Amino acid sequence: WREQILGSAPHVSVYSYEPDGMKDYSTVTEKVKSLEGVKSAGPFIEKQAMVSSEKRVSGAVIRGVDLGSAKFFLGRQIVAGGLSLMDGSGLKEGAGPPPGEGRRGGVVLGASLARDLDVVVGDEITVISPMGVPTPMGMIPRMKKFPVVGLFQTGTGYDSVLGYMSISDAQSFFAMGGRADGVQVWVKDVFKAGAVGRKITDELGSPYWTRDWKEANRALFAALRWEKVAMFIILALMVLVAAFSIVSTLVMMVMRKGKEVAVLKSMGATRKSIMKVFTVQGMIIGVIGTLIGAAAGMVVSKIQQTYHVIRLDSGVYGLDILPIKIEYWWGFAFVCIVAVALTFLATIYPSRRAARIDPVEALRYE
């Protein structure tokens, strides 16, 4: 699920305060790669654009990357085509633009974006940049055709908005002049991305700064935190209702068994033994219910992990499946223990009420 949330986004992004982008991105990339905890790094350009096919038009984010880093983070997510033609080096003789226009590479689109445009691998799309080109007639949008050479699918919202091209094509198309927007970094432990980002900042110094994946998805994780609070409250209320159900069940049992309790007390049963009978009965109900609930929870979790029965709209939630995973078994055991403890507390009042039954009053009219 962590890979789903991150999609193809970098764990740490390195930026520069230089106004027109990062000049020495090659040097920065090599320095970052040499740091401990870094798995891979590569320069990138990220710009908003319009993409159109013969039938449809859609907004998109075009990300220019080098082929080496693209193979690292995008290789496993390719569902059609490939990355080898992204830089244009693998195009067959005679393919591509007419003579004189220069060799161009292709673009790799998210699967959802490709469906929106109604294109497949081999079709052409037109990328339109909002940054205009000055002409005698005024500013006109910059546009260029690119072949679709691959489709990727991460199962997140990135699939509907993101497209990749080689960084050289992006520099040329967006008139970056040999610059990059930054360097994207993948770390060995995603939970240490913040520490690695601080290490990168200390190593590079001014004018560079970093942003990790938690900062980039701050709104999402804030929503998840509030959702956890809400789920805790809902589950606590459910457990409270279950505890009251046990209390009411045992109270009704005491009312129905009042005569039997009176007979037992008249035969010499002590208050402690009467309390023990109803406490054991309540605990049996609680323990059996806890075991059944725990087993059902594990079975449902395993089914969801294996078959992905519960699916989500990735455009709304950022994920196409509901992620379920029991990471901390001690937490699972703690919940079961708390449920049993609450069951014990729920048996105290009914059992004490049963122990206080007066045999004379209960058997007066028998």
Side-chain angles (χ1 to χ4, degrees):
W1 66 268
R2 297 187 192 101
E3 292 182 359
Q4 282 246 305
I5 291 177
L6 289 172
S8 57
H11 300 159
V12 180
S13 298
V14 183
Y15 299 97
S16 172
Y17 287 113
E18 298 171 271
D20 297 325
M22 189 180 293
K23 295 180 182 178
D24 55 343
Y25 59 84
S26 298
T27 304
V28 172
T29 301
E30 293 306 316
K31 285 185 177 180
V32 170
K33 284 182 177 180
S34 66
L35 295 177
E36 184 181 357
V38 174
K39 189 184 293 185
S40 180
F44 74 95
I45 294 173
E46 186 171 285
K47 302 293 182 184
Q48 292 185 343
M50 295 289 291
V51 289
S52 66
S53 62
E54 294 182 355
K55 301 177 181 178
R56 300 177 183 174
V57 179
S58 178
V61 174
I62 300 298
R63 187 177 291 172
V65 295
D66 67 278
L67 189 59
S69 62
K71 288 180 178 179
F72 172 78
F73 67 85
L74 203 59
R76 293 179 300 172
Q77 299 166 341
I78 295 294
V79 294
L83 296 173
S84 59
L85 301 182
M86 193 170 69
D87 62 353
S89 60
L91 290 174
K92 295 180 180 179
E93 193 66 31
E101 292 189 14
R103 175 69 69 184
R104 65 178 177 181
V107 294
V108 178
L109 299 179
S112 298
L113 179 58
R115 284 195 296 269
D116 292 341
L117 295 173
D118 195 15
V119 295
V120 295
V121 173
D123 293 342
E124 281 192 338
I125 62 170
T126 301
V127 180
I128 306 168
S129 170
M131 295 181 291
V133 179
T135 68
M137 303 298 294
M139 299 292 290
I140 61 172
R142 183 182 289 109
M143 60 181 65
K144 188 176 181 180
K145 289 187 175 181
F146 292 90
V148 178
V149 298
L151 303 178
F152 70 91
Q153 185 168 3
T154 64
T156 68
Y158 291 109
D159 298 344
S160 61
V161 297
L162 193 57
Y164 288 94
M165 64 173 60
S166 69
I167 192 166
S168 57
D169 283 335
Q171 287 174 329
S172 174
F173 181 70
F174 293 108
M176 292 292 291
R179 298 171 182 260
D181 285 334
V183 174
Q184 50 191 0
V185 183
W186 286 266
V187 299
K188 296 177 181 177
D189 186 348
V190 294
F191 290 110
K192 295 181 179 179
V196 174
R198 290 188 292 272
K199 188 186 299 183
I200 291 172
T201 303
D202 294 339
E203 175 70 20
L204 298 178
S206 179
Y208 302 102
W209 59 282
T210 61
R211 184 177 68 170
D212 61 55
W213 62 277
K214 289 185 179 179
E215 293 177 307
N217 296 278
R218 185 177 300 172
L220 171 63
F221 289 104
L224 290 175
R225 281 194 297 270
W226 282 108
E227 183 181 4
K228 288 179 69 174
V229 172
M231 288 299 297
F232 174 78
I233 294 174
I234 292 172
L235 291 174
L237 291 175
M238 292 174 63
V239 172
L240 192 62
V241 169
F244 276 114
S245 298
I246 294 175
V247 171
S248 61
T249 300
L250 292 178
V251 168
M252 293 297 296
M253 182 69 68
V254 169
M255 294 176 64
R256 289 200 304 267
K257 299 295 184 179
K259 297 175 183 178
E260 287 82 351
V261 172
V263 170
L264 289 174
K265 295 189 73 173
S266 64
M267 294 175 64
T270 62
R271 294 184 61 180
K272 187 176 181 179
S273 62
I274 297 298
M275 286 185 64
K276 187 176 180 180
V277 169
F278 285 93
T279 300
V280 170
Q281 183 177 6
M283 290 298 293
I284 290 174
I285 296 173
V287 170
I288 292 176
T290 300
L291 292 176
I292 292 175
M298 287 190 289
V299 170
V300 170
S301 299
K302 189 63 177 178
I303 291 174
Q304 177 64 13
Q305 291 175 24
T306 306
Y307 301 105
H308 301 158
V309 177
I310 305 174
R311 307 197 68 86
L312 303 174
D313 184 352
S314 60
V316 176
Y317 298 98
L319 301 170
D320 62 348
I321 61 172
L322 180 66
I324 296 178
K325 184 179 181 181
I326 302 175
E327 288 194 295
Y328 305 106
W329 286 100
W330 61 264
F332 187 84
F334 176 75
V335 171
C336 295
I337 292 171
V338 169
V340 174
L342 289 174
T343 300
F344 173 75
L345 294 176
T347 63
I348 293 177
Y349 170 73
S351 60
R352 294 185 65 180
R353 180 170 175 174
R356 288 198 301 265
I357 290 178
D358 185 357
V360 176
E361 291 293 331
L363 300 174
R364 181 186 298 272
Y365 301 104
E366 293 299 324

